[in-house]
Amino acid sequence: EVQLVESGGGLVKPGGSLRLSCATSGFNFSNSNMNWVRQAPGKGLEWVSSMSKRQTYIYYAESLRGRFTISRDNAKNSLYLQMNNLTVEDTAVYFCARQAETGESDFWGRGTLVIVSS
Amino acid sequence: SWELTQPPSVSVSPGQTASITCSGDKLGDKYACWYQQKPGQSPVLVIYQDDKRPSGIPERFSGSNSGNTATLTIRGTQAMDEADYYCQAWDSTSFYVFGTGTKVTVL
C-alpha cells in the first residue's frame, strides 16, 4: 500500500522557520519525482515545489523562490521542505504527492497544517 | 504566468450529467488531469493524460482536452460526487499549474 505521511507542521511566528518532512512507503521513492502542494484555509490548491528523482530538476513557484527549499533523502524514502521567513500568507495545509511519469500527482499524503501567526 | 480558469460552481441533479471546464492558453497542447477533493480530505486523481481513468475511478468520470479547454464530465452524477474539482497541467514557464477549482453541488 502506498503511503505518504507529512509531519513537521505547527504554529510559528512571522519570520520564523519550519522544516516539513514526508515519509513514504509502498512505492519506489528513489525512482519517483515528488511535489509539495499547499492549500490555504478555504482556498484552492497551490503548487509549491517539485524535485526530480535524482535531484536533477528542482522547481519552485515563483512567489516562493528564495524562501523555500525542497530536498530529499532517497535512502530514507523521504521528502523535505525547508520554509524560512514565513508570513501569514504561508498558513496552509501542506501536502506531499508522488508525481507520475506523465506528470500528474497520483498519490497524496493527508497533509500537515502550518499556521503562521503572532 | 500561465493560468487555468474554472467556473466557481456547478450544480447538477442526481442522475444527470455535470460538465466542468478548465480554460488556459493552448491547453490542448498539454496533458490535463483532474482531482476530486472532498471536505477535510486529500485530493484524489480522477482523470490523467486528458482522458484516462486511474484504477478504481468509476466509468462515469471522463475527460477531454482540445484547443484552449479541458472538460471533466460526470455522467449519472451521484450524491457522493459532490466535491471540489481541480484541473492541473504542466507549463514550461509556470511549471505545475492548478485550476481555480469548481465546487460541484448535487441538488
Side-chain angles (χ1 to χ4, degrees):
Chain A
E1 180 191 7
V2 172
Q3 286 195 320
L4 300 93
V5 180
E6 303 91 339
S7 61
L11 177 64
V12 61
K13 288 182 167 53
S17 298
L18 276 178
R19 188 190 193 218
L20 305 184
S21 299
C22 174
T24 74
S25 61
F27 66 97
N28 189 346
F29 177 81
S30 60
N31 200 39
S32 298
N33 300 330
M34 297 295 296
N35 297 324
W36 284 102
V37 175
R38 71 181 183 180
Q39 187 170 36
K43 302 297 184 182
L45 300 174
E46 179 187 16
W47 169 71
V48 172
S49 182
S50 298
M51 175 173 270
S52 62
K53 62 189 81 171
R54 295 180 183 81
Q55 307 183 46
T56 308
Y57 301 105
I58 298 174
Y59 304 108
Y60 296 98
E62 183 68 33
S63 60
L64 303 174
R65 199 169 299 162
R67 294 193 300 121
F68 287 17
T69 303
I70 191 172
S71 62
R72 64 191 295 162
D73 186 336
N74 286 346
K76 294 183 178 179
N77 294 328
S78 293
L79 182 73
Y80 306 99
L81 185 69
Q82 176 67 42
M83 305 186 297
N84 297 330
N85 194 21
L86 287 161
T87 73
V88 294
E89 287 74 31
D90 296 318
T91 294
V93 175
Y94 286 74
F95 298 99
C96 75
R98 187 184 84 160
Q99 184 176 328
E101 288 294 333
T102 42
E104 66 278 1
S105 291
D106 54 357
F107 293 103
W108 296 66
R110 303 182 81 165
T112 186
L113 177 61
V114 172
I115 300 174
V116 184
S117 175
S118 55
Chain B
S1 65
W2 192 66
E3 298 177 346
L4 295 174
T5 301
Q6 300 177 231
S9 62
V10 167
S11 297
V12 60
S13 300
Q16 298 305 302
T17 297
S19 294
I20 307 165
T21 58
C22 173
S23 299
D25 186 49
K26 298 180 181 178
L27 176 57
D29 293 345
K30 314 174 195 299
Y31 277 135
C33 63
W34 292 88
Y35 304 94
Q36 175 194 69
Q37 187 182 32
K38 297 181 179 179
Q41 297 184 20
S42 307
V44 172
L45 181 69
V46 294
I47 293 290
Y48 68 101
Q49 282 190 272
D50 295 341
D51 57 7
K52 296 179 174 57
R53 277 181 292 105
S55 174
I57 300 301
E59 291 184 8
R60 63 179 180 273
F61 288 89
S62 63
S64 63
N65 185 17
S66 179
N68 295 323
T69 304
T71 303
L72 174 69
T73 302
I74 312 172
R75 290 185 170 80
T77 307
Q78 300 182 9
M80 69 173 66
D81 300 328
E82 188 163 284
D84 294 326
Y85 291 83
Y86 297 91
C87 59
Q88 180 256 307
W90 178 270
D91 174 74
S92 61
T93 56
S94 299
F95 307 122
Y96 219 74
V97 180
F98 285 99
T100 49
T102 299
K103 181 177 181 62
V104 170
T105 301
V106 182
L107 298 171

